[in-house]
Amino acid sequence: MPPQPVPPYIPPHVPPRPPSLWQQFRYDEWPTLRELTVRLRGNGAGLVPLLFCCLPGWLFLLAYPLARSARKQARIKFPHDLHRRIHDPQVWRAQKTRAYLALGASLLILVAYGTGEDWEEIQDQYMMRLAITPWLLLLTAPLVITLLFRMAPPAARPDMRARLRPSVRMVLWYFGAFTSVPLLFAGVMLLGEQFQGYAWSPFLSLALLGPVVWVLFFVGFGSSTMVRTAFGTSEVHAALPALLTGVLVWELAAINLVTVGMPPGPPLVQILAVICGPLSVSAIAWWEIERLRTRHGVRLRA
């Protein structure tokens, strides 16, 4: 009797593990408020029901759906995966290393020479940069793009203009939302004053503040993508993000020097703290452009 054929081994199907809350908040779409509460309870957070009995819990209950909706729309209008056309891991590692070294050097200077006022100014400087950087980028990008257009051959300019249109649309979406925040807030305050004195006026003000908070979340979630990708300008030219970074860092350093002044420490430490940061960023940007030229054939004039 001939031997029976042995069926091939089929490994059991193991369903993929669902992403953790941290992975879902960072990469995927945020869970709904109900799903979030269920998962927190499943992770052993037994105090979740008590959280909604206090004022911060109610604020979270009202703000979370707005933040989730605004983040979803921001990821549609400003794609989070809008990376550079040519991804160089060595350049990316050099940029991260430089950022960590700059942060460590700044903290070391503050620990060695800083005062209480210097520590209090850190948060103000950070918020100022968040508010100024998109506007500086909006003013700087047209100048750099115009320079690139003049350096490019005439045959390549129509294709560059076509690839520029998505970036222009993102700029209009972003700054339209940015400028609508104070207008919406002024309208809410005006309507609140007109209906002041009625018993339902606080509820009206709270309802009218919803769109303002939503747009604030939309601008906040879109800002990180816009600054990181320079409004998607890498689609116009692969070297454009590096050029914008090299120019923008010197503009921010000049504004910080005018508004805040010199950092603490001896004169030599102050000069090095002011110059080394922009110099290191410009050096890495120039190295990135050089690698684009030698390894990928990307040239500024061709």
Side-chain angles (χ1 to χ4, degrees):
M1 182 176 180
Q4 297 294 327
V6 180
Y9 172 74
I10 300 177
H13 176 68
V14 179
R17 296 181 59 184
S20 63
L21 272 179
W22 167 251
Q23 292 173 341
Q24 194 167 359
F25 272 105
R26 186 173 182 182
Y27 303 109
D28 300 334
E29 184 178 348
W30 284 7
T32 62
L33 186 60
R34 182 178 179 181
E35 294 172 350
L36 178 63
T37 306
V38 171
R39 294 192 65 173
L40 288 177
R41 286 179 179 176
N43 292 335
L47 297 178
V48 172
L50 297 178
L51 177 65
F52 298 106
C53 297
C54 55
L55 180 60
W58 282 105
L59 292 177
F60 175 81
L61 185 67
L62 295 174
Y64 181 80
L66 295 175
R68 180 176 178 270
S69 173
R71 180 179 181 270
K72 182 178 180 180
Q73 292 301 318
R75 287 165 68 92
I76 294 174
K77 300 300 181 185
F78 317 117
H80 69 285
D81 55 350
L82 199 63
H83 298 304
R84 300 183 179 185
R85 292 168 58 189
I86 300 175
H87 179 64
D88 194 330
Q90 294 188 16
V91 174
W92 178 245
R93 284 194 294 268
Q95 291 171 344
K96 290 176 64 176
T97 303
R98 192 220 70 86
Y100 289 135
L101 290 176
L103 179 61
S106 300
L107 292 177
L108 186 61
I109 292 174
L110 285 175
V111 170
Y113 306 107
T115 61
E117 296 180 356
D118 296 324
W119 286 97
E120 292 176 357
E121 289 178 354
I122 293 178
Q123 185 176 1
D124 296 337
Q125 294 179 22
Y126 178 74
M127 298 304 296
M128 182 188 69
R129 288 198 174 194
L130 284 181
I132 289 178
T133 301
W135 295 98
L136 277 180
L137 193 58
L138 178 66
L139 296 175
T140 305
L143 300 178
V144 179
I145 291 173
T146 302
L147 178 62
L148 273 180
F149 268 77
R150 290 186 174 275
M151 296 173 66
R157 293 173 185 174
D159 186 45
M160 292 176 66
R161 290 192 187 96
R163 294 200 301 265
L164 184 62
R165 295 191 186 105
S167 299
V168 173
R169 285 196 294 267
M170 285 189 287
V171 168
L172 294 177
W173 269 108
Y174 180 82
F175 285 98
F178 196 97
T179 53
S180 67
V181 173
L183 297 178
L184 288 173
F185 187 76
V188 169
M189 298 300 295
L190 182 61
L191 289 175
E193 290 179 358
Q194 289 183 354
F195 294 100
Q196 190 175 8
Y198 293 94
W200 43 267
S201 61
F203 300 99
L204 177 63
S205 300
L206 185 62
L208 293 175
L209 279 175
V212 182
V213 175
W214 190 93
V215 177
L216 277 174
F217 280 127
F218 180 81
V219 172
F221 288 122
S223 296
S224 59
T225 303
M226 289 297 93
V227 173
R228 188 178 69 252
T229 62
F231 294 103
T233 50
S234 63
E235 293 298 322
V236 181
H237 197 286
L240 191 52
L243 291 173
L244 285 173
T245 302
V247 176
L248 193 66
V249 68
W250 287 102
E251 295 174 343
L252 287 172
I255 292 174
N256 192 69
L257 187 63
V258 171
T259 57
V260 180
M262 297 292 287
L268 180 60
V269 174
Q270 292 178 335
I271 295 174
L272 291 177
V274 171
I275 295 179
C276 287
L279 274 179
S280 60
V281 173
S282 300
I284 293 178
W286 183 255
W287 178 54
E288 179 182 1
I289 294 173
E290 184 66 18
R291 286 178 65 88
L292 288 173
R293 184 184 66 83
T294 57
R295 294 175 177 266
H296 304 283
V298 176
R299 288 173 172 80
L300 299 179
R301 292 184 177 275

